[in-house]
Each structure stands twice: as structure tokens, then as C-alpha cells.
Amino acid sequence: MDDMTTDFEQRAIEIMVQAGISGAHIQLQKKNVFQAASVENYYDKVEDSEKLCENIPVEKILAIKTTWPIEGKSVYDLFMGRVNEEIDAEKINQSLKSLEENGLAFQQAFYSGEFDPPINFNYYTADDCYILQQEGLHRTITAKMFNAPEMSGLVTSYELNEEKKKQYDDYISLKEILRLTDIKGLTLDLFQDKKDK
């Protein structure tokens, strides 16, 4: 999408700035991108580690496990509806309305309050990051956009499995070698085609 700001974006930015969210924070969310959930490949669940309604730092929520195409998308673009039609604009509008009517402190406190049912997060100890599990997508995007410090949820801990990590790293290396081999092969094929003509 181009850099043209839509009417919705202008209105949303105006509401956020008036509520006390800095323009710098809003701009930063254009670069704040949700990552792949690759850590799940080399961690093991810590048995009986679930903690209900633990408050976690919003900045450490690095990925969202969902069927929607979230990976590689910025918080800003998801919040503003620039990249995914499945994001419910009505839920975003409700959050903006609450921000406008109740103020920033109220809206930020909302995310650290108890949700029923609770939002589920997995915590990956060695990487010190959280991945949201399915439900709570809009709340997480909005919490990041509104610069909320904390979010509550049911947290399950996972610890690094060194052997799985090594296997995963080997797999990624092999995949990259095969990709580069394919690119070189394609280049050679194209070169050969031109030479033959």
C-alpha cells in the first residue's frame, strides 16, 4: 500500500495524540513487526507452569499464533486495517472511542485487568519473549498501539531444548543452501537459454 494516509488513519492519529500517545510512538509502530513463531520448534513445555492473570510486558509479545497472515506485518498497519481485511474495524473503533471518552490511563489499565476467559500466552524463557495463542488479537494490537505497559493473561512457560535448537538451526541452514542452489541453477539455466539463442 502507498504512504497516503486515509481519513480513518488521520482521525485515529488525532485521537491518540490528543489522549497523550506521542507521535514518535505511533510512527515507531510502523516498524514494530510481528515475528514468526519459530521458537516453538525448539522449546519444551514446562509441566504445571501455567500462571493465571500474570501481567506481562506488552513490548515482549513478539508473535501471534493465528490463521491470519500476521507474520511480518506492522502493528500500525494491522491497527489501521491497511493489510488485513479480517481485522475487525468495529473492535478497533470501540477501542478508539474508549480512549477518546475515558482517557489513556483508563485504556492502558484495561489491558492489565482480568479477561474472562483469559488470554493465553506462551513464554519462551531463553528468548525472553511471549507468543499470543489464538484469542486476543485485537486487544494485543491495540495494547501495542496505545503503548500499554502490561497485559494480563494465562501464561505457560517453555524452556529451551538445546538438541531441538541444533536440529532447527541445521534445518534452516540446509534450507538456505537449497534456496541458493535453486537461485544459482535458475541463473545458469537462464544464462544457458540466452546463450543458445
Side-chain angles (χ1 to χ4, degrees):
M1 179 174 274
D2 58 36
D3 289 332
M4 296 294 291
T5 307
T6 65
D7 290 343
F8 172 76
E9 286 176 65
Q10 288 175 345
R11 185 180 140 269
I13 290 168
E14 190 176 297
I15 290 169
M16 287 188 280
V17 169
Q18 284 178 354
I21 299 169
S22 73
H25 172 78
I26 293 167
Q27 290 302 311
L28 188 62
Q29 299 319 298
K30 291 181 177 180
K31 296 176 184 166
N32 189 357
V33 173
F34 285 107
Q35 300 175 11
S38 56
V39 292
E40 293 182 328
N41 294 297
Y42 47 85
Y43 272 80
D44 295 327
K45 182 180 175 183
V46 176
E47 292 306 316
D48 302 318
S49 64
E50 293 87 357
K51 292 182 185 171
L52 184 59
C53 291
E54 182 177 305
N55 280 342
I56 65 169
V58 170
E59 66 184 22
K60 290 186 180 182
I61 304 168
L62 300 185
I64 296 175
K65 192 159 185 184
T66 176
T67 55
W68 294 354
I70 297 294
E71 179 188 328
K73 305 292 192 291
S74 76
V75 171
Y76 180 94
D77 285 347
L78 289 165
F79 182 87
M80 297 298 185
R82 292 183 125 212
V83 292
N84 194 334
E85 293 88 31
E86 290 150 335
I87 296 295
D88 189 339
E90 186 53 40
K91 288 184 179 178
I92 299 296
N93 273 314
Q94 286 171 1
S95 297
L96 282 167
K97 187 176 179 187
S98 176
L99 177 65
E100 194 172 28
E101 291 176 357
N102 303 305
L104 184 58
F106 174 90
Q107 192 61 32
Q108 288 180 339
F110 165 77
Y111 301 106
S112 60
E114 291 185 23
F115 297 116
D116 187 24
I119 298 174
N120 295 300
F121 294 98
N122 288 351
Y123 175 60
Y124 299 90
T125 53
D127 285 83
D128 190 24
C129 71
Y130 296 84
I131 296 179
L132 174 70
Q133 304 296 301
Q134 304 295 340
E135 297 301 317
L137 171 70
H138 294 89
R139 280 170 282 184
T140 302
I141 291 167
T142 308
K144 283 183 169 285
M145 200 70 213
F146 290 175
N147 203 16
E150 293 184 325
M151 201 164 180
S152 73
L154 176 66
V155 177
T156 304
S157 294
Y158 285 73
E159 48 186 22
L160 182 66
N161 180 317
E162 296 284 358
E163 184 57 33
K164 282 184 181 177
K165 177 74 165 91
K166 184 183 178 315
Q167 289 173 357
Y168 181 76
D169 289 345
D170 290 346
Y171 162 73
I172 294 299
S173 295
L174 181 60
K175 207 168 136 183
E176 181 62 14
I177 289 167
L178 292 172
R179 187 184 72 79
L180 291 172
T181 303
D182 282 350
I183 289 171
K184 285 179 184 170
L186 179 63
T187 305
L188 286 173
D189 288 346
L190 290 171
F191 177 75
Q192 190 62 44
D193 286 347
K194 282 186 179 178
K195 197 173 153 190
D196 291 344
K197 288 181 180 177

